[in-house]
Amino acid sequence: MPDPQSSLAQRLRAAARSFVKWLVIAAKWTGRMLRHLGIALLVFGRALYDPAFARAFNRGFDPTSPQGETGALPPAAPAPAPLPVQKVAPAPLATLDKAPPDSALLLLGLFQKEARLVDFLQQDVADYSDQQVGAAARVVHQGLRRVLDDHVTIAPVRSEPEGGRVTLPAGFDPAEVRITGQLVGEPPFRGTLVHGGWRATELHLPKVVSGRDLGILAPAEVEL
C-alpha cells in the first residue's frame, strides 16, 4: 500500500514544477509584450512630428529598419534652399591725407609779419587789462584782415541770410553743412541757418625762394 505522505509530496513537487514552468512562460511573454509596447510608443511618437516617417509607415514597409522592408531608405526631405546672401557694397574708406605744411607755414609767416599774430598768442595776457588786450587785438585784427584780403578769396558756403529757413536735400555734403540739434528721420532736413560758413575759393600765396626754411615764421632781430 503506497505511503500517503510520499504520494502527497510527489504531487506537490509536480505542482511546483508546473508552476515554475508557467511562471517562466509568463515572464517571457510579459517581457516580449513590454518590448513591443515600447516600440509601438516610439513609432507613434515619431509619426506625430516626422511627416516623412509617417508617410513611409503608411506605405507599408518597416520604417524602423535601417533600410526598410524594400531595402531602400525612405526619401529624405529636400534640404531647404539656402537663403540668398545679400551682398552689401563696402563703404569707401576715408583716407587721411597729410596736409602739406609749406602753405600753412607760409600763411602763418604772413600773419606774423602783418599782424604779429605769433607774438600776440605767445604773450601771457593775464597781467594786462581788458583795454590793453582789446587795443592789441585791434592791431592783430587789422593785420590778419589785410593778409586775407591780399592772399585768400573767401565766400560764404550758404548764400541764404543767417536766421532764415533752409532745406538740406538728400545727399548733401556733410563737409559743407554741420547739423546741430536733434536729427530725426531721413533727408530732406529743414532748419534755421545759424552760420553761413566760409569757403576759400582761391589761394594765391607769394612765391618763395627755393631752399628757404618756411619753419622760420619770423627771423630773430638783433640791434647793433
Side-chain angles (χ1 to χ4, degrees):
M1 183 175 182
D3 186 358
Q5 294 183 350
S6 177
S7 177
L8 178 60
Q10 291 177 355
R11 287 198 295 273
L12 290 176
R13 283 195 295 272
R17 286 194 296 271
S18 177
F19 176 76
V20 171
K21 176 181 178 182
W22 284 109
L23 184 62
V24 171
I25 294 174
K28 291 182 179 179
W29 182 85
T30 302
R32 186 164 54 251
M33 291 302 296
L34 289 176
R35 186 168 58 254
H36 291 173
L37 179 61
I39 294 174
L41 292 176
L42 290 175
V43 171
F44 176 74
R46 183 174 176 181
L48 287 179
Y49 65 84
D50 189 345
F53 179 87
R55 288 192 297 270
F57 188 84
N58 189 47
R59 284 197 298 268
F61 64 83
D62 182 10
T64 61
S65 173
Q67 295 185 340
E69 189 180 46
T70 61
L73 290 173
L83 296 176
V85 179
Q86 185 176 4
K87 295 183 178 179
V88 179
L93 298 178
T95 59
L96 299 178
D97 296 331
K98 187 176 181 180
D102 292 352
S103 298
L105 292 175
L106 183 58
L107 190 60
L108 187 57
L110 292 173
F111 287 157
Q112 168 62 22
K113 178 181 178 182
E114 300 294 335
R116 305 188 73 87
L117 176 64
V118 178
D119 290 344
F120 179 75
L121 295 178
Q122 292 294 97
Q123 186 71 36
D124 184 5
V125 298
D127 296 333
Y128 294 90
S129 64
D130 292 344
Q131 290 76 11
Q132 290 174 313
V133 175
R138 181 183 300 277
V139 175
V140 173
H141 176 272
Q142 292 174 350
L144 296 178
R145 178 70 177 269
R146 187 163 51 250
V147 172
L148 292 180
D149 290 342
D150 291 343
H151 301 285
V152 186
T153 302
I154 297 178
V157 175
R158 302 287 304 200
S159 59
E160 298 91 339
E162 293 181 355
R165 300 289 292 176
V166 295
T167 301
L168 303 178
F172 72 93
D173 188 356
E176 293 184 349
V177 179
R178 182 176 68 248
I179 296 179
T180 60
Q182 186 176 6
L183 180 63
V184 178
E186 300 292 334
F189 299 118
R190 294 178 177 81
T192 301
L193 182 64
V194 179
H195 190 283
W198 296 112
R199 183 200 311 272
T201 59
E202 190 176 355
L203 179 65
H204 36 84
L205 296 175
K207 297 181 180 179
V208 296
V209 178
S210 176
R212 173 185 169 185
D213 184 2
L214 295 178
I216 304 298
L217 302 179
E221 299 178 5
V222 178
E223 183 178 2
L224 302 178

